[in-house]
Amino acid sequence: MNNEINEFIKMHSEKKYAEIVTLEYNFDKIFHYSIPHDLKDDISLGSRVIVSFRGKTVIGCVVGFLTKTDVKNIKDIVQIIDKKPLLTPGIIRLTRWMSNYYLCSWERILNYTLPKTRKAWLKKFDIADILPQIPAQVPENGKALNHEMIFSVEEIKEKPILKVIENIINDKQFKTVLIRGNDFNSRMKFYRSCIRKTLKEGRQVIILAPNESHLSELADLLENEYKGNMAVFDEKINQKAKYQKWIKIRNSEVNVVLGMRSSIFVPFDRLGLIIMEREHSSLYKEERAPHYNTREVALKRAELENVPFFLSSETPSMESYWHVQKKHFLEVEFSTGEEREKLLKKTIIDMTREKSKKKIISYELQQSISRSIKQQRQVVLFLNKRGFSSFMICNQCGHIVKCSDCNTSLSYHLDMQKSAQLICHNCGKRAKVMNLCDKCGSSEIQPLGMGTQKLENEIKKMFTRAEIRRLDRDSSIEDEDYRKILEEFNQGKTDILIGTQMVLKGVEFDNVDLIGIISADTLLNLPDYRSGEKTFQLLNEVISSFRDINYPKEVIIQTFNPEDHCIVALREQDDNYFYQKEIGLRKELEYPPFTHIIKIVILGEMKEVVQERAEYLINYLQSLLQNKETVKFKLLGAVNMVIWKSRNNFKVQLLIKVKDLEKFNQAFKKKYDKMLSRHFNQKNRLTIDVDPAKMV
């Protein structure tokens, strides 16, 4: 543990009174309780305790200790639940930071972090009273006993940055390293070298993956080497098994953890390294409360516990790219040779030049599909989403109607009277649906949207003898159907597979020599400032499905906007061109990483009540703007407030742009609890999402 955590423990070591967060009431408050003499030796930071609260016995978590308190008629703690705390002091500090950063109560974050338990499990699997199994060679100051080499002389000669990383591992320094490139095997070799050294020094390792498929792949690769010393938290794990593994971790019986989002909270007390695969993935964002981003939480934990943090991605997030440019992160690249690129052909099709009225499948893509089928190869056709007409596009020149303030596409909407209008999902600005393109004057302007079912019908008309299957949420409701479609394709029984992002999970691309991306524009023109970034990352992910290329393969991308910087970067194989252009747009329009965005949603059953609650919140935010002591911020969606119909509810969405998030949160939280308790409940909900991954 670093000096800051030691100071934190020392500060709370005088055990006369305990600071407790109740785990059964959603209060963002700390309550004081007296520690009975017979419990003083057993109570620790992170202990779950039973206390009397408002006439009931409830469970709380100890988050601090005091030598004195101003609270009168203070009550005693009734009982300690765990023999050894389920959370470490480092995790307690981390959850406190999360509460402040994500504007979420400490109670909710602690409940999210703690594993679910039952009384029967406590007796059977309780933490044993054993000394932690700390190897003898771990020095007290946390430094390595000897600076032995992790990488070979040849490796360091080829990549001098590896010597710097070697020193970081040896000295157990907090430093973030971004690992770029498409050479998966070299990346795994790099990981193994760093993990071995960390474990040899008596430290522990957390490895994070964004989803089940990537988690399984990593588990298969690491299992033989770390079997018996590694705990895997996959989607299938039940609460009992999760609790058992948590106890093993707390007892230092395993020293490597592999998991998804919530695995960042495992209670290692000798953490030495955090690795995050595919750091750009939006799946690292928790869409439920507390709405945290695992990347930011992992970064903070690494900082608090003074350990190295490795992020990897072929297409890093804009935030990580920006940190490298500002010299906050180090960078190392592992890429495959030029031979792979020679065998992979990337073709961009300008759909404005296609003569077909439908403009669904270009002539060149149609010819390529025919050629693949004749050569007994397989084809994957990729469409981003099942489809709805979401934005207006000119088929003549490719012009997209965008919001002049936000630079995001205006969404095409039909109201209850089937009247069409264009609306900005960010600021609420409305516009009429035009009959002529305001760029070229063509009348060929219409909503763009197509689902996989429509695409399947068109492909079946073109290729009547081919075996064609569709893989999306509509066509494979049951897991058995999903597995059957994948099995048939992987066995070569299917010629053409049509699908959404699901096709990237489980499909074997060995016999696939053609991937067709039907419409890059449905990605590029999502009403989201990240649309360019998400498109670039997703298209690269589709292309990277060809991991091993032993014969010529082709990716065809159809678009109405071939000069978009995302498409140009893909065509020219110049990632930095994309990032430089995108970062310029973000700076000009004050989007992250130059600001923080807070998305606020008010949701309720009654339209009038939702409007009333929204207006109250807007007035509160505007009062903060008028306060000279409050940090400045921009409020979007208040002037042109839109009330959306969402299933059986109505909702209002507001956006806040702010540069100094910490100061804004401090000001906002002053009356937040009162506002929440007086104006919002289960029927009228308030959701606050800091740094949202989705804007709609």
Side-chain angles (χ1 to χ4, degrees), residues 638-654:
V639 177
N640 300 298
M641 189 172 70
V642 179
I643 303 177
W644 307 96
K645 183 74 185 291
S646 177
R647 294 179 184 175
N648 296 321
N649 288 306
F650 293 91
K651 76 171 185 178
V652 169
Q653 178 173 300
L654 306 172

Side-chain angles (χ1 to χ4, degrees), residues 501-682:
Q501 203 163 349
M502 292 177 75
V503 301
L504 302 181
K505 302 173 184 177
V507 169
E508 293 177 9
F509 285 84
D510 295 342
N511 193 46
V512 176
D513 75 340
L514 174 64
I515 294 177
I517 296 166
I518 302 303
S519 175
D521 303 292
T522 57
L523 296 157
L524 279 171
N525 294 288
L526 292 171
D528 188 331
Y529 73 92
R530 293 186 188 273
S531 61
E533 178 185 0
K534 289 177 179 178
T535 303
F536 187 70
Q537 289 165 347
L538 184 55
L539 296 187
N540 268 289
E541 185 179 351
V542 174
I543 293 166
S544 296
S545 301
F546 290 143
R547 182 170 288 176
D548 298 314
I549 300 180
N550 303 312
Y551 60 90
K553 301 194 177 193
E554 185 176 15
V555 175
I556 294 178
I557 301 172
Q558 299 187 156
T559 177
F560 284 92
N561 290 277
E563 295 309 313
D564 186 277
H565 61 284
C566 169
I567 305 298
V568 171
L570 284 168
R571 184 182 66 221
E572 302 298 327
Q573 299 176 20
D574 188 351
D575 291 6
N576 286 326
Y577 173 80
F578 166 76
Y579 284 108
Q580 288 165 11
K581 286 285 186 179
E582 186 70 15
I583 210 76
L585 284 172
R586 298 280 185 93
K587 187 174 184 179
E588 181 184 346
L589 296 164
E590 295 187 322
Y591 281 124
F594 300 98
T595 59
H596 289 276
I597 286 181
I598 303 172
K599 183 173 76 173
I600 300 176
V601 175
I602 300 101
L603 191 71
E605 297 173 0
M606 304 282 290
K607 183 178 180 180
E608 295 77 12
V609 177
V610 168
Q611 183 174 345
E612 180 189 314
R613 300 292 190 272
E615 287 171 351
Y616 176 85
L617 183 58
I618 289 168
N619 289 335
Y620 175 60
L621 289 167
Q622 286 175 340
S623 71
L624 293 180
L625 275 172
Q626 292 166 7
N627 189 336
K628 293 181 180 180
E629 296 179 4
T630 305
V631 64
K632 296 301 176 185
F633 62 92
K634 289 184 178 179
L635 177 60
L636 303 176
V639 177
N640 300 298
M641 189 172 70
V642 179
I643 303 177
W644 307 96
K645 183 74 185 291
S646 177
R647 294 179 184 175
N648 296 321
N649 288 306
F650 293 91
K651 76 171 185 178
V652 169
Q653 178 173 300
L654 306 172
L655 293 179
I656 292 169
K657 282 185 181 179
V658 61
K659 290 184 179 179
D660 193 333
L661 182 67
E662 185 179 353
K663 284 187 177 179
F664 172 82
N665 286 356
Q666 287 173 355
F668 183 79
K669 286 185 80 172
K670 286 180 180 178
K671 295 182 179 179
Y672 177 58
D673 278 343
K674 286 183 180 179
M675 179 176 61
L676 199 63
S677 60
R678 289 179 183 177
H679 298 275
F680 297 95
N681 49 41
Q682 288 297 317

Side-chain angles (χ1 to χ4, degrees), residues 23 46-48 59-61 82 85-87 91-92 95 107-117 239 242-243 246 265:
L23 299 178
S47 291
R48 290 183 305 161
I59 296 174
C61 181
D82 309 297
L86 293 177
L87 301 179
I91 296 294
I92 294 295
T95 55
E107 170 271 334
R108 179 162 283 181
I109 293 171
L110 286 169
N111 268 318
Y112 181 93
T113 306
L114 286 160
K116 302 292 185 294
T117 58
Q239 293 298 337
K242 183 177 181 180
Y243 180 73
W246 197 274
F265 302 112

Side-chain angles (χ1 to χ4, degrees), residues 458-515:
E458 291 296 322
I459 294 296
K460 282 182 176 178
K461 290 176 187 176
M462 293 178 180
F463 304 98
T464 54
R465 295 183 181 181
E467 289 294 328
I468 301 166
R469 297 301 299 268
R470 176 165 56 94
L471 185 65
D472 60 21
R473 290 173 190 167
D474 288 337
S475 65
S476 57
I477 299 170
E478 302 294 334
D479 288 343
E480 188 176 338
D481 295 331
Y482 175 76
R483 285 192 294 269
K484 184 180 178 182
I485 293 171
L486 282 180
E487 188 177 317
E488 288 176 353
F489 185 81
N490 293 339
Q491 289 174 354
K493 295 177 181 178
T494 304
D495 298 310
I496 302 172
L497 182 63
I498 299 167
T500 58
Q501 203 163 349
M502 292 177 75
V503 301
L504 302 181
K505 302 173 184 177
V507 169
E508 293 177 9
F509 285 84
D510 295 342
N511 193 46
V512 176
D513 75 340
L514 174 64
I515 294 177

Side-chain angles (χ1 to χ4, degrees), residues 132-185:
Q133 300 170 4
I134 303 177
Q137 72 265 29
V138 178
E140 290 183 5
N141 63 1
K143 303 289 183 182
L145 289 173
N146 54 73
H147 279 59
E148 63 182 50
M149 292 187 70
I150 300 174
F151 308 106
S152 68
V153 174
E154 291 77 14
E155 287 172 324
I156 291 173
K157 189 176 181 180
E158 185 183 347
K159 297 183 187 297
I161 189 66
L162 292 179
K163 186 62 183 176
V164 179
I165 295 171
E166 188 175 272
N167 292 335
I168 291 166
I169 295 285
N170 278 320
D171 292 339
K172 193 177 172 280
Q173 300 174 26
F174 164 59
K175 195 68 183 178
T176 303
V177 181
L178 177 63
I179 303 159
R180 291 180 68 175
N182 59 5
D183 191 341
F184 180 76
N185 293 329

